[in-house]
């Protein structure tokens, strides 16, 4: 089956701009989670959407927002970009909520979007 | 607040030897625990998770992890290391209470020496 896809794979933006990243989950998966990975801060949870509703949220400012559509595809938006937003943004999908689910439910990650803010 | 500690930035082990990657956690409520692996220039891959039940969890690629409630640990183990196991390993936790968000450790680089 097709895996989790993320577009675009690479982005270069300048400070103050905004950006939208897209994530298409595995067919049948209703949960999409977003993570930020940087060398300094490591892997940080942004938010999780399940059935078009934000179910969980990490400790990021309001500049980071997201949404999920009825087909479970999700977008993440970052407004007023800062240099510190440069990172690898990963999304992951699962059938149930990522933090719960059953012992056999697996979270699958996409390849990520590399965002560079100049 | 929940947290995860991976006390070793890097673990070196000889090929064929058993390996252990350590993880301890702090969380309110019952913990849900996860291990992920990230290979160079590749995305993150799920290895295994503990939700409830048997304290020994078996996962992908021959890895297993043991949940120890009294020591609040969830160490990752493999009986015989392969060179191809060399990668970055992340432990993560969420809980049965609150928002159930997932918190990751800082990662441990595993180097398997031929």
């Amino acid at each position: 089956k097709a895996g989790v896809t993320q577009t675009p794979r690479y982005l270069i933006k300048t400070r103050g701009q905004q950006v939208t990243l897209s994530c298409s989950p595995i067919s049948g998966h209703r949960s999409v989670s977003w993570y930020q990975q940087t060398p300094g801060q490591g892997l940080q949870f942004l938010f999780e959407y399940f059935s078009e509703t934000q179910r969980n949220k990490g400790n990021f400012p309001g500049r980071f927002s997201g949404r999920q559509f009825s087909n479970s595809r999700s977008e993440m938006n970052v407004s007023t970009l800062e240099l510190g937003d440069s990172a690898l943004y990963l999304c992951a999908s699962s059938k149930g909520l990522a933090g719960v689910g059953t012992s056999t439910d697996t979270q699958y990650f996409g390849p990520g979007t590399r965002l560079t803010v100049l | 607040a929940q947290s995860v500690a991976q006390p070793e930035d890097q673990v070196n082990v000889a090929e064929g030897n058993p390996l252990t990657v350590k993880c301890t956690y702090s969380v309110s409520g019952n913990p849900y625990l996860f291990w992920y692996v990230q290979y160079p220039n590749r995305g993150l891959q799920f290895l295994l998770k503990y939700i409830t039940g048997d304290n020994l969890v078996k996962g992908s690629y021959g890895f297993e992890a043991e949940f120890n409630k009294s020591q609040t640990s969830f160490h990752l183990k493999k009986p015989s290391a392969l060179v191809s196991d060399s990668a970055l390993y992340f432990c993560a936790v969420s809980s049965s209470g609150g928002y159930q968000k997932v918190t990751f450790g800082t990662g441990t680089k595993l180097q398997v020496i031929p």
Side-chain angles (χ1 to χ4, degrees):
Chain A
K1 57 183 175 182
V4 178
T5 58
Q6 291 186 246
T7 57
R9 292 293 311 279
Y10 302 92
L11 263 180
I12 299 176
K13 293 285 187 178
T14 56
R15 281 182 298 172
Q17 287 186 310
Q18 77 164 20
V19 67
T20 299
L21 311 182
S22 180
C23 173
S24 293
I26 290 172
S27 178
H29 286 192
R30 297 168 65 188
S31 167
V32 173
S33 298
W34 287 91
Y35 302 88
Q36 182 197 64
Q37 187 175 23
T38 61
Q41 299 296 320
L43 201 59
Q44 294 184 284
F45 171 75
L46 280 155
F47 31 63
E48 178 178 15
Y49 286 86
F50 184 84
S51 294
E52 301 179 65
T53 302
Q54 187 181 90
R55 297 302 184 97
N56 299 300
K57 189 177 186 302
N59 299 322
F60 278 81
R63 299 187 297 108
F64 292 82
S65 63
R67 59 178 175 169
Q68 187 179 34
F69 302 96
S70 58
N71 62 357
S72 293
R73 188 178 70 87
S74 177
E75 287 183 346
M76 189 191 88
N77 185 273
V78 188
S79 62
T80 320
L81 284 166
E82 300 177 359
L83 295 179
D85 296 334
S86 294
L88 179 67
Y89 290 89
L90 296 165
C91 83
S93 76
S94 56
K95 292 180 184 177
L97 286 170
V100 189
T102 67
S103 59
T104 56
D105 192 8
T106 298
Q107 193 174 36
Y108 293 87
F109 280 79
T113 294
R114 175 76 63 184
L115 173 64
T116 302
V117 182
L118 302 175
Chain B
Q2 61 192 36
S3 64
V4 177
Q6 292 182 245
E8 301 153 319
D9 290 337
Q10 182 159 334
V11 169
N12 297 322
V13 63
E15 186 178 22
N17 282 3
L19 70 87
T20 299
V21 183
K22 296 180 181 177
C23 170
T24 59
Y25 65 91
S26 174
V27 71
S28 299
N30 294 320
Y32 300 135
L33 296 153
F34 311 82
W35 276 103
Y36 296 87
V37 60
Q38 189 172 35
Y39 297 101
N41 300 316
R42 289 168 65 178
L44 220 63
Q45 293 181 31
F46 171 87
L47 273 180
L48 51 80
K49 72 178 175 183
Y50 171 83
I51 301 297
T52 186
D54 194 347
N55 290 344
L56 184 64
V57 181
K58 293 188 183 298
S60 308
Y61 313 119
F63 285 93
E64 59 187 28
E66 186 167 11
F67 169 64
N68 188 316
K69 188 173 183 178
S70 62
Q71 297 185 4
T72 61
S73 68
F74 190 57
H75 300 331
L76 182 70
K77 299 181 180 183
K78 187 174 182 181
S80 178
L82 301 172
V83 173
S84 57
D85 292 331
S86 298
L88 187 58
Y89 291 81
F90 291 94
C91 180
V93 67
S94 67
S95 77
S96 59
Y99 258 130
Q100 298 171 333
K101 67 177 183 180
V102 182
T103 300
F104 284 83
T106 52
T108 298
K109 183 178 180 181
L110 174 67
Q111 191 76 36
V112 180
I113 303 162

